[in-house]
Structures are given as structure tokens and as C-alpha cells.
Amino acid sequence: MTTRSPFGFGKIIGGAVAIAGAVGLFALLDAPGASAQVAAKVESQSRPNFGVLLDPPTRSYRQRRPQRRYDYGTHRPDWRPGYHPGRPGGEEVVLVDCGGNPGTGAVEDAVRRVRPGGTLIIRARGGACVGWLNIDKPLTVIGEGGFDPRDWARNSEPTLQAPDGLPCMTVASGVRVEIRDMVFGSPRAGDAACIVGYGADIVMNRVGFHHAGDEAAIYVDGGLLDIRNAVLDAQTIAPAIVADGAVLNAWELTVTGAHSGMEIVPTGGQTSRISATTLKGTNTPNNFGPRSIGLAVRSGRDYGRVEVDNTAICGFTEGVVVEGASLTVNNSRICRSDKGAVLYSGELRLTDSRIRANGIGVAAAAGHAVIVNNVFAGVRDVIYAEPRASVEARGNRVWSQHVCRPQFRDRYRGRYEPYWRQGEGWTCTYGSYPREWWGQEDGLLGFEYYDDGHRLDGYDEYRDGYGWYDRDGRYIRDDRYRGDDRWNRGGGNGWWGR
């Protein structure tokens, strides 16, 4: 006998049971995965990451600042080292005339059309080409109009301008690119560098840069940067050039406008060399923000070397800084600085150079410094060394109204003679600081001549044998006696016999 429920109540109960069974089955299938994800998340947050301790950074002990480095993947997802477009280039020489046509992609397309090892010629008669050279194959890039760095004031119109917030050129790992007769412009770069290379060989000759942004104008991580006959105007708080674990060769390079000049983390293999280069800073007080440094040589995983020759570094708070590496400075000029050279650790060899500083000529906190045959001017302290530092100094000359003030000693019955104290490895030089030297130093920044030499009243007559000084250093002229006679009134044993 079958009993029927009124209003189909049995069907309703059966449907509810079916739905509950489905929900229960879904929960059983999903619960282990959810529990595993939650457990993994908790474990990842609570378990210490010993891998960081066992596998330290390969380049430098310094903390990386990824938030300041440009994230190319965000702006250009197809950019990556080793990226190859779908249509490989097959033309040996490609000429692109793209002046005044932003947004057309003509520059990017021209790069794709060039075969590996080919040449890209950029013509910008109607204005600067606007685009991003994303180079992933060996290439030569030439500006058709040519460029003479000696005519920078009149001939500095950009050949290629980067889009806002993007780089002018990126070079993939393992790629060699040569650039000639180009002027790059990145007036609104933001967090992007103008030239970027990761493990690439970038060779530039007769090039110019107009860069304004928060990052370096040229940033290379590994590889080689060889730059010659170049002018780099970088309006940035970062160093104008950053070579991190890369070999840097610079010759006839002028850097202006940047808060700092160069930052090098030298590799342990080939020595980086800077020659016939001028680094001109902004000469502004460094009350906050990063330090203003002309040339910073920092330590990496390998102990590297940098050699500087015939170079002027002017207008920075600290001229050169060495941290855990080796730097040699020869026949160069460091001027308009608070500290000429600072050695925090590592090695510094400073020879046959001229250093102008308002504070300390050379400060050594640790490491080994060799300071030989240099000229110091305007300093309040010639060489400062802490106990952990060893300093070898000899043959250095000093012009300074602070350090080189004479002292006076009684020679004969109230008649005093001047003398200058000798420092450790340096001596004071009497007379005016040479104007020719000033023109090659602070004169580069447009400052009027200032004589750092201490001039003693009446010293010329005193050296000719007339007169003496009183205990307060006032010159007293007396023509009756000359030479040694002034010390003994014409006879006797003078002050030696008293």
C-alpha cells in the first residue's frame, strides 16, 4: 500500500536530500586542497628562509633597491633578455626617417628588420625620432647627421627621444651593440634610465645625452660599457652612470648636471679605466638625501680595480669615495669639494694630483692609502686617518690659509722669525696659489680666482734680509742691519749665545 504525502511533500524532502549530498561531496573534494593551501601559507610565513643566508647576492653586499630600478615588464611585457620577435630581420642596412612621428612604432619596427650584425641608420631631419630601441641581437646604430662633442652648445638636438617614462635603449644579455654619432634625449624619464644593459657589451663613440629623471642616464649590470668622445647632461639625483659588476672604460667624457658623477662596482677580472674625463657637479649643499659624490667605487663579490688618469672631478661634496675596492688616481684634479678623497675600506693610491677641499684633503677610516707628490689647497686638515687605516704620505705640498699659518719664535731679544710646521708627509708652500691651476679647477665651474696661499705681511722684505717680526706676527722693518746681522746687531753670537 502506497501512502502519498499531501502537496508532494516527499518530493521536496527527496530534493533537499539530493542537494545536501551534492554540497557535502563538493566539500569533501575541496576541503583537502583548501587546508593544504592554508597550511602552506602559514608555513611560508613562519619558517625562516635559510636560503638567503646560504646564497648571498652575487654582485654586492649593498641592499638592492628594486623599487628604484625600472620594471620593464610592467611597461613592455614582451621585453626580456633573449626575446626574439616572430619575424626575424633580414636586411643588412636599414634607414629610418622618423622625425616628428611619435607613436608610429617606426623605430621599433626598424630594429626588427635589421639582421643580426647589421646597421641601423637613424635620420631625424624633421625632429627627433621618438621610440624605444629594444635590441636583442648584435647591431650597429648610427645617427645620420653626425655629432661633434666639442660643439655641444650649438649641436645638441636629440636624434632619438625616449617615450615618457621609458628608456631610450635596452640591450639584452650577451649582445654587443655599437653606437656612433647619436644624441639621446629622455626629458621625462621618470624611473627609467636612458641606456640599460644587462650582461651586454655597449660601445659608444661620439654620443650625447639629455636626461632628466630619478634614475641614472646609463645603467649597466655586468658586461662592458665603453664610452668615448661623449657629453652627458643628466639632471638627476642618482649618479649619471652606474656600472654594477661591469667593466667601464671612459675617455674624453664630460658629465654635467647630476647630483653624483659615477658609481662603479668593479668586476674582479678586467680593470675599469677612466681617462681624460670631466665630472662637474651641481656644487649644492648636501643637507639631505643621498651624498653628492663625484666618483664612488664600491665593493662587489669580487675585488675589483679602477684606474683614473688625467681627470677633473669638481663640484661634489666628496670628490672620490672608495668602499672595499682598489682605486688609483693619477695626474688628476679634485676641486670644489668638502672632502677630496675618502677611503672607507680597500685601497687608494693618489699620486701627482691636485686636491682642493674646504675640509679634509684625504680621510681614511680603514684600508691602505698611498698619497705621494700631490698638491692640496684650501684644506683645514690635509690628511686624517683613523686607527684602522694605514697611510703612506710623502712629497705633498699644501697651500692653505688655515693649515699654513706661520708660527713665530724668539730669535734675538724680542725679535721673532716665522716658521711653518711640517706635517706627516706634507709641507706648506708660501706664496699665491697659481692662477693657471685655479682655471683648470674651480674655474671650470665659473668661480672667480681666490688665493688660498697665506701671505705674511712684509715677508718679501724679510726674505731679502731686512727686519723681523714681533711676538704677534707684525712685521718691523729695519734697514740698519741685513741678513744675520739683524739677529746680533752686527756682532756677537746672536741668540745662540744667550
Side-chain angles (χ1 to χ4, degrees):
M1 177 178 180
T2 302
T3 304
R4 298 182 179 275
S5 298
F7 310 109
F9 185 70
K11 294 182 179 179
I12 296 175
I13 294 175
V17 172
I19 293 173
V23 171
L25 180 61
F26 178 81
L28 290 174
L29 295 175
D30 184 69
S35 301
Q37 292 177 3
V38 172
K41 183 176 181 181
V42 172
E43 183 184 7
S44 66
Q45 294 177 348
S46 60
R47 182 177 58 188
N49 185 4
F50 293 102
V52 175
L53 303 178
L54 299 177
D55 187 16
T58 58
R59 290 294 183 195
S60 171
Y61 70 88
R62 294 177 297 125
Q63 182 180 3
R64 295 288 186 180
R65 298 174 295 179
Q67 71 277 9
R68 294 190 60 233
R69 295 301 178 209
Y70 188 73
D71 183 6
Y72 298 99
T74 301
H75 298 271
R76 186 71 178 266
D78 64 351
W79 184 89
R80 60 188 182 275
Y83 168 75
H84 298 281
R87 179 169 59 88
E91 301 181 41
E92 181 69 29
V93 179
V94 174
L95 171 64
V96 55
D97 191 347
C98 52
N101 60 347
T104 62
V107 173
E108 291 82 353
D109 183 67
V111 173
R112 287 190 288 268
R113 288 162 49 195
V114 182
R115 61 178 293 184
T119 301
L120 173 63
I121 302 176
I122 299 180
R123 176 186 294 168
R125 295 181 180 178
C129 294
V130 179
W132 175 2
L133 295 175
N134 186 22
I135 299 176
D136 55 5
K137 53 195 170 185
L139 205 65
T140 298
V141 181
I142 302 176
E144 187 209 39
F147 174 70
D148 186 355
R150 296 170 298 182
D151 197 24
W152 174 255
R154 295 189 301 119
N155 182 23
S156 61
E157 292 298 322
T159 310
L160 176 72
Q161 180 172 312
D164 293 353
L166 294 177
C168 308
M169 183 180 73
T170 52
V171 186
S173 177
V175 172
R176 178 182 175 88
V177 60
E178 297 185 15
I179 307 163
R180 298 197 302 268
D181 296 313
M182 288 284 295
V183 179
F184 294 94
S186 47
R188 291 172 292 276
D191 290 335
C194 182
I195 303 293
V196 180
Y198 290 97
D201 290 352
I202 303 175
V203 180
M204 294 185 282
N205 190 11
R206 298 192 302 274
V207 293
F209 292 87
H210 290 286
H211 177 76
D214 298 328
E215 266 296 348
I218 302 176
Y219 175 78
V220 290
D221 188 344
L224 167 70
L225 173 62
D226 191 294
I227 181 168
R228 301 165 183 267
N229 300 300
V231 178
L232 202 162
D233 180 17
Q235 307 298 321
T236 173
I237 60 173
I241 298 176
V242 175
D244 193 348
V247 177
L248 171 63
N249 294 327
W251 185 79
E252 288 287 352
L253 168 66
T254 300
V255 177
T256 62
H259 187 68
S260 295
M262 294 183 181
E263 180 178 325
I264 305 175
V265 180
T267 179
Q270 187 176 348
T271 300
S272 295
R273 290 181 171 84
I274 301 171
S275 182
T277 293
T278 300
L279 306 178
K280 293 195 291 187
T282 56
N283 194 44
T284 56
N286 191 213
N287 296 325
F288 60 90
R291 291 178 297 163
S292 174
I293 301 174
L295 172 63
V297 181
R298 307 190 188 280
S299 66
R301 189 176 183 87
D302 300 322
Y303 192 79
R305 296 181 56 86
V306 177
E307 295 181 358
V308 178
D309 179 70
N310 192 26
T311 291
I313 303 174
C314 297
F316 301 95
T317 303
E318 298 176 1
V320 298
V321 169
V322 185
E323 297 179 1
S326 176
L327 173 64
T328 298
V329 180
N330 179 62
N331 193 29
S332 297
R333 304 177 301 280
I334 300 172
C335 49
R336 206 71 187 181
S337 61
D338 289 341
K339 300 182 184 71
V342 183
L343 175 65
Y344 290 101
S345 60
E347 297 176 292
L348 170 65
R349 184 175 181 84
L350 183 65
T351 60
D352 298 308
S353 299
R354 299 198 299 267
I355 298 92
R356 296 185 55 82
N358 296 325
I360 303 174
V362 175
H368 182 65
V370 178
I371 308 167
V372 179
N373 297 334
N374 301 288
V375 169
F376 293 89
V379 295
R380 296 179 181 272
D381 196 351
V382 182
I383 300 173
Y384 170 78
E386 294 187 357
R388 294 186 302 162
S390 62
V391 177
E392 299 179 32
R394 61 182 181 273
N396 300 290
R397 295 179 293 162
V398 179
W399 273 265
S400 173
Q401 296 186 11
H402 307 284
V403 176
C404 293
R405 287 185 175 275
Q407 298 177 351
F408 298 90
R409 58 190 174 198
D410 191 358
R411 182 73 181 269
Y412 176 78
R413 295 184 179 179
R415 300 179 183 183
Y416 287 78
E417 66 174 355
Y419 70 97
W420 285 263
R421 67 185 181 93
Q422 305 296 314
E424 296 184 4
W426 56 268
T427 59
C428 284
T429 302
Y430 176 80
S432 299
Y433 191 75
R435 288 179 177 268
E436 180 183 358
W437 291 358
W438 174 276
Q440 298 171 352
E441 298 161 0
D442 289 26
L444 290 174
L445 302 177
F447 291 96
E448 295 293 333
Y449 173 76
Y450 176 80
D451 188 5
D452 285 306
H454 182 78
R455 298 192 63 84
L456 186 60
D457 181 42
Y459 190 67
D460 291 338
E461 291 82 358
Y462 173 84
R463 288 194 302 179
D464 288 339
Y466 297 101
W468 53 83
Y469 290 88
D470 64 12
R471 61 185 304 174
D472 296 323
R474 290 187 293 264
Y475 176 68
I476 300 175
R477 183 179 178 84
D478 189 339
D479 296 335
R480 295 176 299 170
Y481 306 105
R482 183 179 180 182
D484 291 339
D485 291 344
R486 55 185 160 175
W487 306 123
N488 52 29
R489 292 185 178 272
N493 293 325
W495 76 287
W496 302 103
R498 288 186 293 124

